[in-house]
Amino acid sequence: MSRAILQVMIRGRVQGVGYRAWVESQATAYGLEGWVRNRRDGSVEALFAGTPTHVADMIALCRHGPPSSRVDSVTSETASVDELSLRRAGEAFSVLPTL
């Protein structure tokens, strides 16, 4: 079984509208591993690891976000498995503090 690991940057009105919690719930529903966090510049950063189809579907969902958000752009790049170490111990998907 192949595995994709992508780091994603989401820009727009994505903080203060429940975007991180929404990402966590969607990623968990897809069975993905990774993390999500707010960035001080107002963007949201996330890392998704799992089957390529589920990761691609999650990125497509990020382009729309929850109803109260406005997503201007979503960019992604391949990440290494080392990036998963940022998760909290024992969690498959973590909401991390603002960076």
Side-chain angles (χ1 to χ4, degrees):
M1 176 161 117
S2 64
R3 180 174 160 120
I5 303 175
L6 292 179
Q7 192 160 354
V8 180
M9 190 68 67
I10 303 109
R11 290 186 165 71
R13 187 173 60 118
V14 292
Q15 287 192 28
V17 294
Y19 200 94
R20 282 187 309 175
W22 176 84
V23 167
E24 178 188 29
S25 68
Q26 296 298 312
T28 301
Y30 272 93
L32 298 175
E33 295 179 69
W35 47 261
V36 62
R37 65 181 166 201
N38 285 340
R39 296 187 55 92
R40 294 197 195 289
D41 66 1
S43 63
V44 171
E45 181 179 20
L47 182 91
F48 303 117
T51 63
T53 302
H54 287 157
V55 170
D57 289 347
M58 186 65 210
I59 292 172
L61 285 174
C62 286
R63 293 185 193 287
H64 299 286
S68 57
S69 69
R70 185 195 75 241
V71 177
D72 293 336
S73 69
V74 175
T75 57
S76 64
E77 62 184 43
T78 302
S80 74
V81 71
D82 295 338
E83 294 293 326
L84 285 171
S85 67
L86 293 175
R87 294 177 295 179
R88 290 188 176 93
E91 292 182 346
F93 200 89
S94 296
V95 175
L96 302 178
T98 300
L99 174 69

